[in-house]
Amino acid sequence: MLDKIMCNTQFKNINNKFSHEHIDFLCKHRKRKKVIFITQIALIVIFFVLWEIAARLKLIDTFLTSYPSQMWHLFLKLAKDGSLFKHIGISSFETIVGFLLGTFSGTIIAILLWWSDFISKVLDPYMVILNALPKTALAPIIILWAGAGITGIIVTAMTVSIVVTILGVYGGFKEVDKDKIKMLKTFGATKIQILQKVIIPASIPTIINALKINVGLSWVGVIVGEFLVSQAGIGYLIVYGGQVFKLDLVMTSVIILAILAALMYQGVAYLEKRLMK
């Protein structure tokens, strides 16, 4: 009850033109979002608590699964000597650069395909074939071509996401209302004006969806690259932990990877809110 009163007061202070019904709707929507968020956090907490209890009661083999308290101690140890931040920094840099290059390059190529129907028809079968290929299987070849280092890993991350971006964004361009394009043509608009005023604005949701997909794909590309050639990074920690049978290091690295991917996804979600306004 108190929460409802505070919510009503807050919205009234922001804008006195809101009706009581609209304020009630906004308060219910905000309350629902809070309940969803609390439930999400509760599920994570319950999962780790049950994991810890199962380990303490020896219901699971901790050699294979580790357990939260052991992973926390390892995390603190790695954070204290500074090595953890080095690995996180390297992987984050590789992922962000690969993510940006893959999204930007894919969008530019999608614009090129929309611009020229001839190029679109010529490249269409090749796009389908490239999309069907397992990108991670090509990682060793890509790294040999691009170089066994950060450059090769970044190119791998970019390659994994670029084809998906091209197909997704180009598909969004083709779904734009044809009547709007015809209307602009009637008024003598050039192709670049149609692109700027109709195609890109109407395709913002599609581009945002491509960004969201590319978050995961970029991390996949970086981790696969680090599996193969890196001497540092989250992928390197996972491989090293598996080789020396330090499963607590593997599980800790996986959880850190999940947190980093979630943070990057939230960054894209924030960008979506800003653009959609």
Side-chain angles (χ1 to χ4, degrees):
M1 186 65 182
L2 180 61
D3 185 55
K4 184 178 180 180
I5 293 172
M6 292 176 64
C7 183
N8 286 331
T9 304
Q10 182 180 1
F11 280 114
K12 284 179 180 177
N13 290 336
I14 294 173
N15 192 338
N16 292 323
K17 295 181 181 179
F18 284 164
S19 66
H20 290 291
E21 292 78 10
H22 189 53
I23 291 174
D24 287 338
F25 169 78
L26 292 174
C27 289
K28 287 179 182 178
H29 180 67
R30 174 179 286 187
K31 183 179 179 181
R32 178 177 171 78
K33 287 177 68 176
K34 286 183 179 179
V35 171
I36 291 172
F37 178 74
I38 292 171
T39 304
Q40 290 172 336
I41 298 299
L43 287 173
I44 295 174
V45 172
I46 290 170
F47 171 75
F48 281 107
V49 168
L50 292 176
W51 187 359
E52 182 74 22
I53 292 172
R56 298 287 183 181
L57 297 178
K58 300 189 183 302
L59 299 176
I60 57 176
D61 187 349
T62 55
F63 176 76
L64 297 177
T65 62
S66 188
Y67 53 96
S69 60
Q70 184 182 23
M71 291 157 53
W72 176 247
H73 291 312
L74 177 62
F75 174 83
L76 293 177
K77 179 183 176 183
L78 293 173
K80 188 175 180 180
D81 63 24
S83 61
L84 179 64
F85 301 111
K86 172 191 171 185
H87 293 296
I88 290 176
I90 289 172
S91 292
S92 298
F93 173 76
E94 293 166 345
T95 303
I96 291 171
V97 174
F99 168 79
L100 293 175
L101 288 176
T103 304
F104 179 76
S105 302
T107 303
I108 294 298
I109 295 173
I111 291 173
L112 178 64
L113 295 178
W114 171 83
W115 192 278
S116 172
D117 186 63
F118 174 77
I119 294 176
S120 171
K121 284 183 167 51
V122 169
L123 295 183
D124 183 65
Y126 297 103
M127 290 292 106
V128 174
I129 293 170
L130 286 173
N131 190 48
L133 286 174
K135 315 300 184 301
T136 54
L138 299 176
I141 300 173
I142 295 169
I143 288 173
L144 284 175
W145 289 347
I150 289 180
T151 303
I153 295 172
I154 290 173
V155 172
T156 302
M158 182 186 75
T159 306
V160 168
S161 60
I162 190 171
V163 177
V164 175
T165 303
I166 294 169
L167 294 176
V169 174
Y170 177 58
F173 288 172
K174 292 196 296 184
E175 293 298 321
V176 175
D177 191 348
K178 305 296 183 186
D179 292 334
K180 292 181 180 179
I181 298 174
K182 288 179 182 178
M183 183 182 69
L184 284 181
K185 287 182 177 179
T186 302
F187 285 103
T190 63
K191 205 155 191 176
I192 188 68
Q193 289 174 328
I194 294 172
L195 178 68
Q196 291 175 337
K197 303 298 182 182
V198 177
I199 300 299
I200 291 180
S203 302
I204 289 295
T206 303
I207 295 172
I208 292 295
N209 285 333
L211 288 172
K212 290 178 177 179
I213 294 170
N214 285 350
V215 168
L217 292 177
S218 298
W219 276 108
V220 169
V222 166
I223 296 302
V224 169
E226 290 180 346
F227 280 175
L228 296 172
V229 296
S230 181
Q231 295 297 313
I234 303 298
Y236 166 76
L237 289 179
I238 294 172
V239 171
Y240 174 75
Q243 289 174 341
V244 298
F245 296 99
K246 291 186 65 175
L247 275 300
D248 54 342
L249 179 59
V250 174
M251 297 302 295
T252 303
S253 301
V254 170
I255 290 175
I256 292 172
L257 176 62
I259 293 171
L260 292 174
L263 290 174
M264 195 168 168
Y265 184 88
Q266 288 302 316
V268 174
Y270 175 76
L271 177 64
E272 179 182 21
K273 288 181 181 179
R274 300 285 296 180
L275 289 176
M276 295 308 291
K277 283 183 179 180

